[in-house]
């Protein structure tokens, strides 16, 4: 039996030239884990049509948190983020699809769950600014860095998903 791993998104189910195929990093945060909402959060992304390229449970340590939240290191709430994000293991996901970075950000909703629009993950499931269920990379460049920070090449998988022929129009598949 032959096994294959594909580490780049564009040479998998989409034909070459579909250069809007992106991978992004999602973290299912400790509040979602503790509330038994990990499956609910994951199913929102799956139902939308994002493909799981990588998935694992991980306990965030200080070094990883400092790197991941470097842009917030000067904020007064930085220590509480680190405490919150290490309270339970999290589930890290690498999700793939056309314009996946922006699609996932939209699905999550704005940072403050109380202000997030109904229909979004945070808007439907949360009440907090900090305990907002989910992290999603905020740009294509950030996504590349974050996926590489959380996943090795060997942990990212390419595999056929025949539904792709119905999920996207033929011109979108390249
Ligand atoms: P986002 O996760 O929506 O991209 P940020 O990158 O600005 O937002 O912040 C990272 C995380 O830090 C947020 O998801 C949230 O958990 C936490 N956070 C942001 N702002 C605050 C704040 N003012 N008070 C407490 N926690 C915050």
């Amino acid at each position: 039996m032959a096994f294959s791993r594909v580490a780049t998104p564009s040479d998998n189910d989409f034909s070459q030239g579909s250069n809007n195929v992106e991978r992004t990093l999602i973290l299912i945060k400790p509040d979602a884990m503790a509330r038994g909402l990990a499956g609910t959060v994951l199913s929102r992304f799956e139902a939308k049509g994002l493909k799981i390229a990588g998935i694992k449970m991980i306990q965030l340590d200080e070094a990883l948190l400092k790197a991941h939240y470097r842009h917030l290191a000067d904020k007064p709430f930085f220590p509480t983020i680190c405490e919150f994000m290490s309270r339970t293991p999290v589930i890290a996901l690498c999700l793939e699809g056309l314009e996946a970075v922006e699609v996932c950000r939209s699905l999550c909703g704005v940072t403050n769950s109380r202000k997030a629009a109904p229909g979004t993950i945070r808007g439907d499931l949360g009440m907090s600014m900090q305990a907002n269920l989910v992290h999603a990379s905020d740009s294509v460049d950030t996504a590349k860095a974050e996926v590489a920070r959380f996943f090795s090449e060997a942990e990212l998988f390419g595999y056929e998903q025949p539904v792709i022929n119905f999920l996207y129009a033929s011109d979108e598949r390249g």
Side-chain angles (χ1 to χ4, degrees):
M1 190 186 285
F3 292 92
S4 66
R5 280 195 177 127
V6 183
T8 57
S10 57
D11 57 3
N12 182 18
D13 292 324
F14 296 87
S15 58
Q16 301 291 333
S18 298
N19 54 13
N20 289 333
V21 179
E22 296 167 358
R23 283 179 168 174
T24 190
L25 180 85
I26 302 296
L27 298 176
I28 302 180
K29 294 186 177 184
D31 56 319
M33 303 297 290
R35 293 172 61 200
L37 291 173
T40 302
V41 171
L42 175 57
S43 72
R44 293 289 191 107
F45 293 108
E46 275 195 298
K48 176 69 175 168
L50 278 310
K51 179 178 171 181
I52 301 171
I55 182 167
K56 65 178 175 183
M57 197 168 194
I58 176 172
Q59 176 66 48
L60 300 181
D61 62 20
E62 195 181 336
L64 204 47
L65 281 165
K66 277 190 173 156
H68 185 64
Y69 286 125
R70 195 171 40 224
H71 63 295
L72 299 175
D74 296 337
K75 303 283 185 196
F77 53 83
F78 181 70
T80 68
I81 297 180
C82 294
E83 188 280 322
F84 163 64
M85 288 297 292
S86 56
R87 210 178 286 170
T88 72
V90 301
I91 292 176
L93 298 162
C94 174
L95 298 182
E96 182 180 303
L98 276 191
E99 299 173 37
V101 174
E102 189 183 335
V103 168
C104 289
R105 289 286 290 185
S106 301
L107 273 184
C108 291
V110 296
T111 308
N112 185 343
S113 305
R114 292 189 297 280
K115 305 228 184 308
T120 64
I121 293 169
R122 290 165 171 170
D124 284 352
L125 302 174
M127 283 294 287
S128 169
M129 170 77 112
Q130 182 163 96
N132 56 6
L133 297 122
V134 66
H135 164 84
S137 305
D138 65 4
S139 71
V140 172
D141 285 344
T142 306
K144 282 184 185 147
E146 291 186 345
V147 168
R149 182 178 298 135
F150 281 83
F151 289 93
S152 69
E153 294 266 314
E155 291 172 326
L156 296 173
F157 295 84
Y159 55 95
E160 283 192 23
Q161 234 184 0
V163 73
I164 216 148
N165 296 315
F166 292 91
L167 193 57
Y168 295 100
S170 55
D171 58 337
E172 292 170 316
R173 294 196 300 275

